[in-house]
Amino acid sequence: MPTTDTDFMDTASIPDSFYSMLKEVWGFEELRGMQSDAIAANLAGHDSLVVMPTGGGKSLCYQAPAVFRGGLTLVVSPLIALMKDQVDSLESCGVPAARIDSSLALDEKRRIVDRLANRQLKLLFVSPERLVDPGFVKLVQGNTIHTIAVDEAHCVSQWGHDFRPEYRQLAQIRKVFPEASIHAFTATATPKVRQDIVEQLQLRSPKVLVSSFDRPNLTYRILPQSDIVDQVREVLDRYRGQGGIVYCLRRTDVESLCQILGVHGYSVVPYHAGLSADERKRAQDAFINETADVVVATVAFGMGIDRPDVRFVVHTCMPKTIEHYQQETGRAGRDGEPAECVLLFSMGDMIALKRMTERSLIEAGAPEALIEAQRTQLEEMARYCRTPVCRHRALAEYFGESYTAPNCQACDVCLGDTDSVENAKQVAQKILSCISRVGEKFGVNYIVDVLTGSSTADIERRNHHSLSTYGLMKETPKRQLKDWIYQLIGQGAVTLEGDQYPILKLNAASREILFGAAEPRLIQSAVKNDRRTTRSPSAMNDFEYDRKLFEALRTLRRNLAAERQLPPYIILSDRSLAELSACRPSTREGLLAISGIGQAKVDAYGEVVLAAIASYCQDAGVSFDQPLPIAASSRETSLRGSRSAIGGSSVAARNREAVRKCLDQGMPLADVSAKTQLSNGTITKYLAEFLESGEIHQIDAWIPNATQIQVLEAANRVGRERLKPIFEELQQQIPYDDIRIVLAWDQAQSRVASE
Ligand code: ADP
Ligand code: ZN
């Protein structure tokens, strides 16, 4: 085994100097979730397979070690657009990075060759076929290549949804770069795909790190469809000036919705496969550069869209499958900040969708089994919409994960947006008996007309105005009644038969309800009006910030981006803007305390940002250098920190405080991690700090006495400078985190003793 300067590291140990680098370069205080395990594996030179949801922060897992370790890290990526984005973003943090692809001009290529020869690059992005090309290998030869990162690694597997034959060539990496460790990253991997990635890339006993794929920052809402335009506008109004996607079923729906929204003054562009390549590119650019806020699109829109600050996704029609729903909603909140996904459900749409897909499958000559499978998936999606259980839980369980939180605080069901109808049984009985009275010969609209007592020519001609059920529900709005009927259909309490003119028919379940033997569940489609109060009015729901200043900074960001021909999100993230608007720093140090602002960004934009804040504060008569406030309504209310001046103000301080509160109660570390969403590594780091600073005095709650003694004895034998020898001495039986804690405690004890 070659020894390198990072040889002593193992998965639980990331040196403090790494965190300093992280703060200086990226302006980040912490690693999130599994990032620390992934990074530790990278630093230790272990191969790894990292499965994290979109927005989980996969790129940092190879970018940060690349910067920290030196040498050259090669990154394989399937799309030029993705590579370009990553390189831009790294350069904006002052990290020397480049990409080689077919779109480069000759002089650009030459410059990269020079930089490679001078070993100036830390990261180089390439396509899979280029990576194993002998010419390329020669080009990078003079550089030390510790690691190779394979992004979107599921592309290697034909079992995945995005198989790319060129990824198969990656099987040769091992031969071509035998010294390098290989790190594969993906957001979507079934066990089969996962296995395939390990085999295809010939990973050597890799660390396999699989995060929960739940996206806690997304709030899911499924509302009964009523007036689509009104419903879409309700969402757009809440997110004025912010990025969002509205999905429609058909191209014509896109066109008409876009037109109406445009008339009402919303900043929208259409996108669908019927537009020319040029028009599509223009729409996409407008969205990325924030000259348009909202894209109204068919599902053709989304692939290769890297805008991370999409704050909402609206589905005006149900997606075909739960997988589609997950993927399409997944485009919201990729920056990890709160975002909302609203689906407007209608049973009528579901039926239309079913017919459309069946027809196109039949026309394509698909086998019956496939059509059946499609039908089942659609029904599953409809059930997901109809069933009033936590959306996060239902999604997690659909994908085979368990979800333990009793209330996600981030879906319509848990937030109490929808109310059950109290007398659902009577309502259902009225509907069903009306269907029976008209001889089970009519569709939904007709039944609604009879029940609400409409006086139409048809009803009079058929003498249905003399039925006992005529006008029986005249107090109920038609839209509501229609939705209830579709809810009953969704539960199988009544059947809709026939293709051209679907007719309502009673079935066995209907009879049970009519005779009082079964109880259906109906929900109120009227959305509670206090919905707005369930979330903070601003994008980040864990603290309040000055909306006007945010807008001013957003304009500044857009201008800076246009000057530099970069997307605005590369200049500064929404999180950074929000923290700036809340804290209003007046100094460069103040800027550095903001999440996402490192040294390079202060150097590049510090002055203009400070000037904009100063001028705003003067005009508005508000003060500078405020601590980050925390919203009372926030999900993180319990994380309220005790921060004062801006110098010490950061999310980290809040996290630290939250961890201390939990530890003060002797809470097990796993529970602290679940509660605070911080990794074990971070919590251990804090615990060590608390022990050192004397804020916590004992460790019996977390480390059994026998283990404490074992560790201390081992440390006495092999020394305390490095953890690895102690770990080895203990036959690798005691985790690094535990060793760290015991040593920190022991050191604090001996200091107290000597004082
Ligand atoms: P993925 O590739 O997994 O979809 P990204 O790597 O694009 O996710 O990261 C998502 C967002 O989270 C980015 O805006 C990134 O800057 C941010 N991010 C990643 N790691 C951290 C961190 N440790 N602290 C703060 N922000 C982070
Ligand atoms: Zn929920």
Side-chain angles (χ1 to χ4, degrees):
M1 273 271 288
T3 41
T4 67
D5 52 350
T6 52
D7 191 34
F8 64 91
M9 289 175 193
D10 207 298
T11 52
S13 122
I14 295 176
D16 290 343
S17 50
F18 179 92
Y19 287 97
S20 317
M21 178 280 302
L22 191 67
K23 182 68 193 152
E24 184 177 333
V25 177
W26 276 274
F28 295 158
E29 302 272 350
E30 299 290 351
L31 294 172
R32 288 179 177 163
M34 278 192 175
Q35 280 180 332
S36 49
D37 289 333
I39 287 172
N42 188 319
L43 295 179
H46 289 304
D47 283 1
S48 65
L49 166 60
V50 178
V51 185
M52 265 186 205
T54 307
K58 288 181 281 297
S59 3
L60 197 70
C61 298
Y62 55 83
Q63 294 180 346
V67 172
F68 187 69
R69 295 182 74 177
L72 177 68
T73 291
L74 300 175
V75 186
V76 184
S77 183
L79 295 174
I80 292 180
L82 292 181
M83 295 190 206
K84 186 169 174 331
D85 227 60
Q86 295 248 1
V87 172
D88 286 346
S89 144
L90 282 162
E91 284 183 328
S92 80
C93 295
V95 177
R99 73 197 150 99
I100 302 195
D101 65 59
S102 47
S103 73
L104 284 190
L106 200 61
D107 60 329
E108 283 179 292
K109 212 171 262 175
R110 236 177 248 140
R111 249 202 8 252
I112 293 173
V113 172
D114 280 350
R115 291 172 83 190
L116 280 172
N118 296 321
R119 303 188 186 190
Q120 286 166 340
L121 288 178
K122 298 232 168 174
L123 291 111
L124 182 62
F125 292 75
V126 289
S127 62
E129 55 274 32
R130 193 176 300 266
L131 182 70
V132 293
D133 179 85
F136 175 79
V137 176
K138 215 155 136 215
L139 202 62
V140 296
Q141 202 166 52
N143 290 265
T144 313
I145 297 172
H146 296 300
T147 58
I148 298 176
V150 180
D151 209 359
E152 312 290 347
H154 57 275
C155 293
V156 84
S157 170
Q158 28 184 344
W159 307 114
H161 56 82
D162 198 13
F163 173 55
R164 288 168 187 264
E166 64 274 20
Y167 258 67
R168 278 289 152 108
Q169 302 183 27
L170 293 178
Q172 298 170 50
I173 310 182
R174 207 69 297 164
K175 261 206 312 276
V176 180
F177 299 99
E179 306 289 328
S181 62
I182 302 176
H183 306 273
F185 298 88
T186 177
T188 48
T190 59
K192 201 164 175 180
V193 173
R194 233 178 270 162
Q195 185 57 33
D196 215 15
I197 294 173
V198 171
E199 280 165 18
Q200 294 289 332
L201 299 180
Q202 299 176 27
L203 302 185
R204 283 188 293 235
S205 29
K207 288 257 175 241
V208 178
L209 301 164
V210 183
S211 305
S212 156
F213 91 117
D214 178 53
R215 305 270 315 270
N217 61 321
L218 301 187
T219 294
Y220 298 106
R221 288 203 154 89
I222 300 185
L223 311 175
Q225 191 186 87
S226 50
D227 183 323
I228 292 182
V229 177
D230 277 359
Q231 289 180 301
V232 171
R233 288 183 62 184
E234 191 271 330
V235 179
L236 265 52
D237 287 342
R238 280 188 292 126
Y239 292 92
R240 275 271 174 195
Q242 305 191 57
I245 305 173
V246 178
Y247 281 116
C248 299
L249 182 58
R250 305 175 197 86
R251 293 170 193 183
T252 51
D253 303 337
V254 169
E255 297 287 353
S256 60
L257 183 59
C258 209
Q259 212 239 326
I260 299 172
L261 292 174
V263 168
H264 282 103
Y266 296 94
S267 161
V268 291
V269 283
Y271 188 105
H272 56 73
L275 299 175
S276 70
D278 205 40
E279 286 168 310
R280 271 180 287 156
K281 167 114 179 42
R282 263 206 312 266
Q284 193 161 320
D285 286 349
F287 184 59
I288 287 177
N289 298 324
E290 295 185 3
T291 51
D293 291 331
V294 178
V295 184
V296 181
T298 57
V299 291
F301 182 75
M303 294 303 286
I305 294 300
D306 237 15
R307 185 168 168 180
D309 53 357
V310 172
R311 296 271 69 89
F312 63 89
V313 167
V314 178
H315 279 91
T316 59
C317 171
M318 186 185 95
K320 273 194 285 195
T321 68
I322 296 185
E323 280 83 356
H324 282 92
Y325 177 67
Q326 199 241 341
Q327 200 171 31
E328 287 152 23
T329 52
R331 292 179 185 134
R334 297 198 30 178
D335 53 7
E337 303 302 335
E340 186 171 337
C341 310
V342 178
L343 189 159
L344 305 178
F345 178 78
S346 118
M347 206 62 200
D349 274 359
M350 143 85 187
I351 290 159
L353 192 60
K354 196 163 172 179
R355 241 181 263 144
M356 260 171 67
T357 24
E358 277 175 20
R359 197 178 315 133
S360 69
L361 283 173
I362 290 167
E363 276 167 14
E368 181 54 34
L370 189 67
I371 300 173
E372 187 54 42
Q374 187 68 52
R375 209 174 286 148
T376 312
Q377 286 190 310
L378 259 173
E379 274 157 13
E380 245 158 353
M381 181 68 220
R383 191 166 327 122
Y384 174 79
C385 296
R386 292 257 84 127
T387 317
V389 305
C390 171
R391 312 291 179 191
H392 280 272
R393 172 192 298 275
L395 268 185
E397 288 173 357
Y398 178 82
F399 289 103
E401 259 181 38
S402 64
Y403 189 87
T404 48
N407 183 319
C408 76
Q409 293 287 320
C411 79
D412 54 341
V413 178
C414 294
L415 291 170
D417 280 356
T418 42
D419 277 342
S420 294
V421 174
E422 271 176 27
N423 53 346
K425 190 149 109 189
Q426 285 91 319
V427 170
Q429 284 174 340
K430 287 180 189 170
I431 295 169
L432 297 174
S433 69
C434 183
I435 295 170
S436 158
R437 293 285 150 81
V438 298
E440 302 180 40
K441 283 196 214 106
F442 298 91
V444 176
N445 288 327
Y446 191 81
I447 298 296
V448 169
D449 281 345
V450 175
L451 277 166
T452 53
S454 302
S455 50
T456 70
D458 278 348
I459 291 179
E460 303 208 348
R461 184 163 46 82
R462 295 184 181 116
N463 208 20
H464 284 159
H465 58 294
S466 60
L467 291 175
S468 60
T469 50
Y470 180 76
L472 192 58
M473 297 180 75
K474 56 177 178 295
E475 311 299 335
T476 310
K478 287 194 178 196
R479 200 183 282 153
Q480 173 68 85
L481 182 50
K482 195 167 160 181
D483 186 67
W484 280 337
I485 298 180
Y486 280 118
Q487 289 185 31
L488 290 174
I489 300 169
Q491 293 167 40
V494 59
T495 314
L496 201 58
E497 266 183 27
D499 259 357
Q500 208 99 56
Y501 302 103
I503 286 170
L504 287 164
K505 297 256 187 207
L506 300 187
N507 56 29
S510 325
R511 278 171 214 109
E512 284 195 10
I513 293 170
L514 277 171
F515 299 131
E519 188 121 11
R521 169 146 203 231
L522 295 175
I523 54 175
Q524 211 83 44
S525 60
V527 172
K528 281 197 209 161
N529 281 330
D530 60 356
R531 173 135 53 99
R532 272 153 237 243
T533 62
T534 58
R535 57 187 294 120
S536 151
S538 50
M540 317 298 139
N541 69 1
D542 56 344
F543 62 90
E544 302 287 354
Y545 60 88
D546 187 324
R547 212 47 240 186
K548 278 213 186 100
L549 178 54
F550 183 89
E551 286 311 322
L553 292 174
R554 220 170 147 249
T555 308
L556 174 66
R557 169 173 79 173
R558 195 158 48 229
N559 295 338
L560 290 170
E563 278 165 26
R564 289 162 179 75
Q565 299 195 326
L566 287 171
Y569 58 80
I570 300 272
I571 307 279
L572 289 169
S573 67
D574 274 11
R575 155 72 50 171
S576 300
L577 293 194
E579 289 197 15
L580 284 170
S581 317
C583 303
R584 304 189 290 272
S586 67
T587 60
R588 291 166 75 89
E589 290 67 46
L591 289 179
L592 280 171
I594 301 291
S595 171
I597 300 188
Q599 197 57 56
K601 293 205 174 174
V602 171
D603 292 344
Y605 322 117
E607 251 165 65
V608 278
V609 170
L610 288 175
I613 293 173
S615 116
Y616 176 84
C617 288
Q618 245 154 27
D619 289 352
V622 292
S623 51
F624 294 108
D625 299 333
Q626 296 301 302
L628 200 62
I630 300 169
S633 63
S634 144
R635 257 208 264 188
E636 292 182 347
T637 314
S638 60
L639 305 190
R640 191 181 294 270
S642 62
R643 284 153 337 108
S644 45
I646 182 86
S649 88
S650 65
V651 177
R654 216 159 16 116
N655 288 341
R656 186 177 190 276
E657 188 63 20
V659 170
R660 198 172 63 84
K661 274 197 188 137
C662 297
L663 293 177
D664 276 347
Q665 299 162 11
M667 191 184 279
L669 298 184
D671 293 0
V672 181
S673 173
K675 184 153 179 169
T676 59
Q677 298 274 310
L678 297 170
S679 67
N680 283 333
T682 303
I683 292 164
T684 304
K685 196 180 94 192
Y686 283 146
L687 177 51
E689 280 176 31
F690 298 142
L691 290 165
E692 273 151 26
S693 64
E695 285 168 88
I696 288 181
H697 300 286
Q698 58 81 26
I699 55 171
D700 295 1
W702 306 287
I703 315 282
N705 255 308
T707 310
Q708 295 178 23
I709 293 165
Q710 272 179 300
V711 171
L712 291 177
E713 282 177 357
N716 287 341
R717 288 195 294 275
V718 300
R720 297 163 188 245
E721 294 71 46
R722 297 182 351 184
L723 300 186
K724 184 156 182 173
I726 304 177
F727 182 67
E728 296 297 345
E729 179 75 10
L730 294 165
Q731 263 74 48
Q732 312 189 349
Q733 292 301 303
I734 295 178
Y736 274 97
D737 278 347
D738 291 8
I739 301 176
R740 273 188 142 202
I741 294 171
V742 176
L743 291 187
W745 171 74
D746 185 54
Q747 195 169 358
Q749 292 303 96
S750 48
R751 205 182 44 235
V752 172
S754 69
E755 268 164 18

